[in-house]
Every structure is written in structure tokens, then in C-alpha cells.
Amino acid sequence: MQPNSIDRRGFLQTAAGSLGIAKPAISFAATEEKSKKKLQPIRGSWFEFQHCWTWEGGYWDPACAAFTCEQWKDKIAEIAEIGLEYLVLLSVAQDGKAFYASKHIPLWKMGCADPLEAALSAADERRIQFFVSSGFFDEKIGTLAGPEGVKKRLQAMEEIVERYGHHQCFYGWYWPNEASINPYYADEFIHYCNECSAEARKLTPKAKILIAPYGTRFAKTDDRFVKQLEQMDVDIVAYQDEVGVRKTRVDELDSIFERMRKAHDRVPQRALWADMEIFTFEGETYKSNLIPAPFSRIEGQLTALSPYVDKILVYQYQGMMNKPGSKAFAGHPESTRLYSDYKDWLEKNRF
């Protein structure tokens, strides 16, 4: 998937033929084998109880709202079965209501009285590691809360650790207010990360901290960008590939993530992961339901990202993938096809 490399190889083949030079018999096979070794499977996914924008989650929100606690456990088991090791909870609250048993804010009315407990208990059994969210309370995704919202967020983090911190699967935290890189991080976002991280380090000293910024294609990975990475108290940066939201083409990922790799190699304490989008829009971008992308596109994303990142997570299993015959089906009818296509790819590549 590297256009420049392919063009160069074609040139060398043509030149060698015209000069009567014998072409090496194994060089390209070795290159293909090296590329294959770099392939990575999907290691994890974002996870949610309700999607933050209702007009995008029409194919799974109603089903998830009706899930019993047993169905949430079934869904976690299904996710583990396909080989996912990490789940990133998008939000523990939304629109002023919580997805867990909170003393401070009202509870979402769902088919399961405490969906967070159901998910974490199942993850304990299946050895899945959870990044737990710190939002949303007085803010929406992509916005930063004022002083009262910050107070509520920190109060909720303390409550979450008190109620759910005993779970073995409580691996880390996710700061869900996404940063826009253009071409650097905003100072306000760095402050938000460090404010959340300071509380997290106090409450859960061993927990890993993850963020997932967008605007990856705009990143200017120079000394200033590297310094910002050093300033942010996070352990993992999972950059959005933005293919699903139609901002980046698959054939651009190689050069984008090569730059990110070089930047992170200068700050090795910040792991480089990918937030790979496995969806497309049913209609207009950002104004219609999310549906599964064809696996032919997703395979290209996996191939492009694998050499540069430490792990690949996806947005997201829910809605986009369902095991055929799932007891906890939530998503588009084509989600079973994507599940099966991905499973076939895993078997073909012997992961």
C-alpha cells in the first residue's frame, strides 16, 4: 500500500529488463513476507451503552437500551471470542443521566439496572481489559466542561473507583473529550488531560490512561508537537484514522502514521495505538446512521496501519459486528457479514 515504493519497484524492474540484468528471484517474496509479519489483528474496540449522537446509532441504540444484564455479558463473551483484548468505554453518563448506579445523578432507564457492573463482571471472566471513561456529565463529546462540570467529573471518578475499582478488568481510563490536532494540540486539551490524569493517578496509581485525538492527518510532527506529547500525562495515544468519517483515504494512512511513529519514537513513554474506523455512513456524513464498511476497505486499513502502531483498536464492534446467531444482537444486518469476513481473515493469516 505504499504508492511511492510500488512506483520505484516498477521502475527498477523495467530498467533491469532493458539492460539485460537478471532480476533477483526472492527479493519481492521476502518483501511480501516481511509485510505479512507486520500485519496485526484488531486488539480492541470502543464500547458504549448508548451512542452519543442518536442519529448515528439507530441500528444498535434501541437494542442496547433493552439488553438485559445477561445480554451484556453475552456481548462481552462474543467480543472476547473473536480475539479482542481491550474495550474502551466511551461514556459512563450522557444527557445528565448515568449508566451506572450513581448517588449523584439519575440513572438511565435500561433493561439492565447496572449495565456497567454487568459489563465489567463479564470482562473479569473473559480477561478483557477495560478503559473506563470519565464523561460525559455537563459536556458533550468534543467540548470541555466549566468549573461545575469539572467538579462533577472528578466526583464521579471517585465514585466509580469506589464502586467498580475492585474489578480485575479495570485496566485504565479514557478521557473522552476528543482533541482536535490542527496542527498541534490545544493548550486547553492538554490541561484537561492533565487535570483528569492527576485525579486518576491518585485514585488508581497503576491504571493506564488513553486518549484518542482526531485531525491526525493535520499533525505537524515537529519539535513543538513532540514537546506537547511530553507535556501530556497519558500513557497511550490512539489516533483516529478518520477513514470512516471520509476525511482520510486508505492510501494516505501509510505516510500519516509513519510521521506519527517517528514522533512517538522520540517520546517512547507515550505508546502509539490506532483508533481505526470500521464504519461508513448510510447517507450524508455525520447526518445519518453508521453502518459496517466493506471488509475490502478494512483490510486495507489494517495493512496500512500495522507497521507503525503498537496496537489497533476499532470504532467499533457494537453496531458494526455481530456473531451470526448472537444472543445479544445489536446493529446493522450486514454486521454478521463483517464479523464472518474478519474471522476468515484471522484464520487465513493464522493469528
Side-chain angles (χ1 to χ4, degrees), residues 201 208-209 226 229-237 261 263-272:
R201 303 293 188 200
K208 299 294 184 183
I209 295 172
V226 168
L229 285 178
E230 292 172 340
Q231 291 171 338
M232 279 193 295
D233 183 15
V234 300
D235 299 294
I236 303 159
V237 186
R261 180 74 271 166
H264 277 258
D265 283 348
R266 295 175 62 188
V267 194
Q269 66 269 35
R270 308 286 179 255
L272 169 57

Tab-separated table of all heavy atoms in Angstrom, residues 201 208-209 226 229-237 261 263-272:
chain	number	residue	atom	x	y	z
A	201	ARG	N	-4.292	9.228	38.724
A	201	ARG	CA	-3.056	8.709	39.331
A	201	ARG	C	-3.212	8.594	40.853
A	201	ARG	O	-2.639	7.715	41.477
A	201	ARG	CB	-1.879	9.628	39.007
A	201	ARG	CG	-1.599	9.879	37.533
A	201	ARG	CD	-1.123	8.668	36.793
A	201	ARG	NE	-0.690	9.033	35.425
A	201	ARG	CZ	-0.589	8.160	34.433
A	201	ARG	NH1	-0.884	6.887	34.616
A	201	ARG	NH2	-0.179	8.555	33.236
A	208	LYS	N	-3.574	2.589	33.355
A	208	LYS	CA	-3.088	3.229	32.139
A	208	LYS	C	-4.111	4.258	31.673
A	208	LYS	O	-5.325	4.099	31.874
A	208	LYS	CB	-2.877	2.198	31.033
A	208	LYS	CG	-1.858	1.118	31.373
A	208	LYS	CD	-0.467	1.694	31.518
A	208	LYS	CE	0.564	0.604	31.767
A	208	LYS	NZ	1.909	1.160	31.980
A	209	ILE	N	-3.628	5.299	31.009
A	209	ILE	CA	-4.512	6.382	30.554
A	209	ILE	C	-4.404	6.526	29.048
A	209	ILE	O	-3.309	6.614	28.494
A	209	ILE	CB	-4.153	7.703	31.262
A	209	ILE	CG1	-4.443	7.571	32.766
A	209	ILE	CG2	-4.934	8.882	30.667
A	209	ILE	CD1	-3.951	8.726	33.602
A	226	VAL	N	6.273	17.164	19.526
A	226	VAL	CA	6.928	16.212	20.422
A	226	VAL	C	6.925	16.740	21.854
A	226	VAL	O	6.678	15.990	22.811
A	226	VAL	CB	8.368	15.914	19.934
A	226	VAL	CG1	9.162	15.159	20.990
A	226	VAL	CG2	8.331	15.130	18.628
A	229	LEU	N	3.585	16.136	23.381
A	229	LEU	CA	3.458	14.752	23.812
A	229	LEU	C	4.124	14.546	25.164
A	229	LEU	O	3.609	13.829	26.029
A	229	LEU	CB	4.088	13.802	22.781
A	229	LEU	CG	3.322	13.546	21.485
A	229	LEU	CD1	4.131	12.622	20.582
A	229	LEU	CD2	1.944	12.953	21.757
A	230	GLU	N	5.259	15.174	25.350
A	230	GLU	CA	5.972	15.070	26.628
A	230	GLU	C	5.177	15.710	27.761
A	230	GLU	O	5.185	15.232	28.898
A	230	GLU	CB	7.348	15.734	26.516
A	230	GLU	CG	8.317	14.997	25.594
A	230	GLU	CD	9.603	15.775	25.358
A	230	GLU	OE1	9.600	17.004	25.583
A	230	GLU	OE2	10.593	15.158	24.948
A	231	GLN	N	4.460	16.795	27.450
A	231	GLN	CA	3.727	17.539	28.481
A	231	GLN	C	2.457	16.814	28.934
A	231	GLN	O	1.998	17.024	30.058
A	231	GLN	CB	3.338	18.925	27.950
A	231	GLN	CG	4.523	19.868	27.749
A	231	GLN	CD	4.115	21.137	27.012
A	231	GLN	OE1	3.111	21.175	26.305
A	231	GLN	NE2	4.906	22.191	27.190
A	232	MET	N	1.871	15.990	28.079
A	232	MET	CA	0.609	15.329	28.399
A	232	MET	C	0.838	14.106	29.267
A	232	MET	O	1.615	13.221	28.905
A	232	MET	CB	-0.137	14.926	27.123
A	232	MET	CG	-0.891	16.058	26.497
A	232	MET	SD	-2.050	15.519	25.225
A	232	MET	CE	-0.931	14.863	24.005
A	233	ASP	N	0.152	14.047	30.387
A	233	ASP	CA	0.277	12.905	31.289
A	233	ASP	C	-0.699	11.811	30.860
A	233	ASP	O	-1.751	11.601	31.481
A	233	ASP	CB	0.009	13.344	32.726
A	233	ASP	CG	0.193	12.201	33.710
A	233	ASP	OD1	0.793	11.174	33.328
A	233	ASP	OD2	-0.276	12.334	34.859
A	234	VAL	N	-0.364	11.135	29.776
A	234	VAL	CA	-1.128	9.990	29.296
A	234	VAL	C	-0.146	8.882	28.948
A	234	VAL	O	1.036	9.137	28.723
A	234	VAL	CB	-2.005	10.339	28.066
A	234	VAL	CG1	-3.002	11.444	28.401
A	234	VAL	CG2	-1.151	10.734	26.866
A	235	ASP	N	-0.654	7.650	28.879
A	235	ASP	CA	0.209	6.509	28.553
A	235	ASP	C	0.070	6.069	27.100
A	235	ASP	O	1.023	5.556	26.512
A	235	ASP	CB	-0.143	5.327	29.466
A	235	ASP	CG	0.063	5.666	30.925
A	235	ASP	OD1	1.229	5.887	31.318
A	235	ASP	OD2	-0.933	5.730	31.672
A	236	ILE	N	-1.117	6.267	26.527
A	236	ILE	CA	-1.410	5.747	25.192
A	236	ILE	C	-2.161	6.807	24.390
A	236	ILE	O	-3.134	7.395	24.887
A	236	ILE	CB	-2.289	4.484	25.272
A	236	ILE	CG1	-1.610	3.400	26.136
A	236	ILE	CG2	-2.592	3.944	23.879
A	236	ILE	CD1	-2.573	2.366	26.679
A	237	VAL	N	-1.715	7.031	23.153
A	237	VAL	CA	-2.438	7.910	22.235
A	237	VAL	C	-2.886	7.050	21.053
A	237	VAL	O	-2.056	6.545	20.291
A	237	VAL	CB	-1.570	9.076	21.743
A	237	VAL	CG1	-2.422	10.041	20.920
A	237	VAL	CG2	-0.919	9.803	22.911
A	261	ARG	N	4.691	7.690	13.942
A	261	ARG	CA	5.641	6.747	14.520
A	261	ARG	C	6.971	7.429	14.852
A	261	ARG	O	7.546	7.217	15.923
A	261	ARG	CB	5.873	5.600	13.540
A	261	ARG	CG	6.862	4.512	13.986
A	261	ARG	CD	6.268	3.610	15.038
A	261	ARG	NE	6.479	4.071	16.396
A	261	ARG	CZ	5.830	3.583	17.466
A	261	ARG	NH1	4.901	2.645	17.315
A	261	ARG	NH2	6.077	4.036	18.669
A	263	ALA	N	7.443	10.555	15.503
A	263	ALA	CA	7.253	11.458	16.645
A	263	ALA	C	7.236	10.677	17.954
A	263	ALA	O	7.878	11.060	18.942
A	263	ALA	CB	5.970	12.256	16.481
A	264	HIS	N	6.512	9.576	17.978
A	264	HIS	CA	6.396	8.804	19.213
A	264	HIS	C	7.684	8.081	19.567
A	264	HIS	O	7.936	7.819	20.753
A	264	HIS	CB	5.216	7.826	19.115
A	264	HIS	CG	3.907	8.453	19.448
A	264	HIS	ND1	3.279	8.285	20.657
A	264	HIS	CD2	3.125	9.304	18.735
A	264	HIS	CE1	2.154	8.989	20.677
A	264	HIS	NE2	2.040	9.611	19.513
A	265	ASP	N	8.487	7.775	18.593
A	265	ASP	CA	9.793	7.171	18.890
A	265	ASP	C	10.675	8.128	19.688
A	265	ASP	O	11.586	7.698	20.402
A	265	ASP	CB	10.501	6.764	17.596
A	265	ASP	CG	9.936	5.481	17.004
A	265	ASP	OD1	9.165	4.787	17.709
A	265	ASP	OD2	10.245	5.174	15.838
A	266	ARG	N	10.395	9.411	19.588
A	266	ARG	CA	11.139	10.412	20.362
A	266	ARG	C	10.574	10.564	21.779
A	266	ARG	O	11.218	11.171	22.642
A	266	ARG	CB	11.111	11.752	19.634
A	266	ARG	CG	11.833	11.741	18.286
A	266	ARG	CD	11.668	13.057	17.545
A	266	ARG	NE	12.235	14.176	18.281
A	266	ARG	CZ	12.078	15.470	17.923
A	266	ARG	NH1	11.356	15.775	16.842
A	266	ARG	NH2	12.627	16.427	18.639
A	267	VAL	N	9.362	10.043	21.984
A	267	VAL	CA	8.721	10.099	23.311
A	267	VAL	C	8.204	8.690	23.624
A	267	VAL	O	6.992	8.441	23.623
A	267	VAL	CB	7.555	11.116	23.327
A	267	VAL	CG1	7.128	11.437	24.761
A	267	VAL	CG2	7.919	12.402	22.614
A	268	PRO	N	9.098	7.751	23.863
A	268	PRO	CA	8.694	6.347	23.971
A	268	PRO	C	7.749	6.045	25.120
A	268	PRO	O	7.093	4.997	25.133
A	268	PRO	CB	10.035	5.610	24.146
A	268	PRO	CG	10.993	6.642	24.622
A	268	PRO	CD	10.553	7.932	24.009
A	269	GLN	N	7.631	6.954	26.080
A	269	GLN	CA	6.698	6.745	27.184
A	269	GLN	C	5.238	6.939	26.764
A	269	GLN	O	4.331	6.641	27.536
A	269	GLN	CB	7.034	7.657	28.368
A	269	GLN	CG	6.861	9.151	28.120
A	269	GLN	CD	8.125	9.821	27.596
A	269	GLN	OE1	8.881	9.216	26.844
A	269	GLN	NE2	8.353	11.071	28.008
A	270	ARG	N	5.008	7.434	25.548
A	270	ARG	CA	3.645	7.584	25.013
A	270	ARG	C	3.448	6.535	23.913
A	270	ARG	O	3.923	6.693	22.789
A	270	ARG	CB	3.426	8.981	24.426
A	270	ARG	CG	3.795	10.126	25.354
A	270	ARG	CD	2.799	10.332	26.466
A	270	ARG	NE	3.242	11.432	27.322
A	270	ARG	CZ	3.773	11.271	28.538
A	270	ARG	NH1	3.924	10.053	29.043
A	270	ARG	NH2	4.155	12.311	29.246
A	271	ALA	N	2.764	5.461	24.242
A	271	ALA	CA	2.528	4.393	23.261
A	271	ALA	C	1.663	4.904	22.113
A	271	ALA	O	0.759	5.727	22.316
A	271	ALA	CB	1.862	3.203	23.933
A	272	LEU	N	1.932	4.406	20.927
A	272	LEU	CA	1.184	4.799	19.723
A	272	LEU	C	0.258	3.657	19.318
A	272	LEU	O	0.707	2.591	18.906
A	272	LEU	CB	2.164	5.126	18.590
A	272	LEU	CG	1.581	5.299	17.181
A	272	LEU	CD1	0.513	6.381	17.143
A	272	LEU	CD2	2.703	5.607	16.183
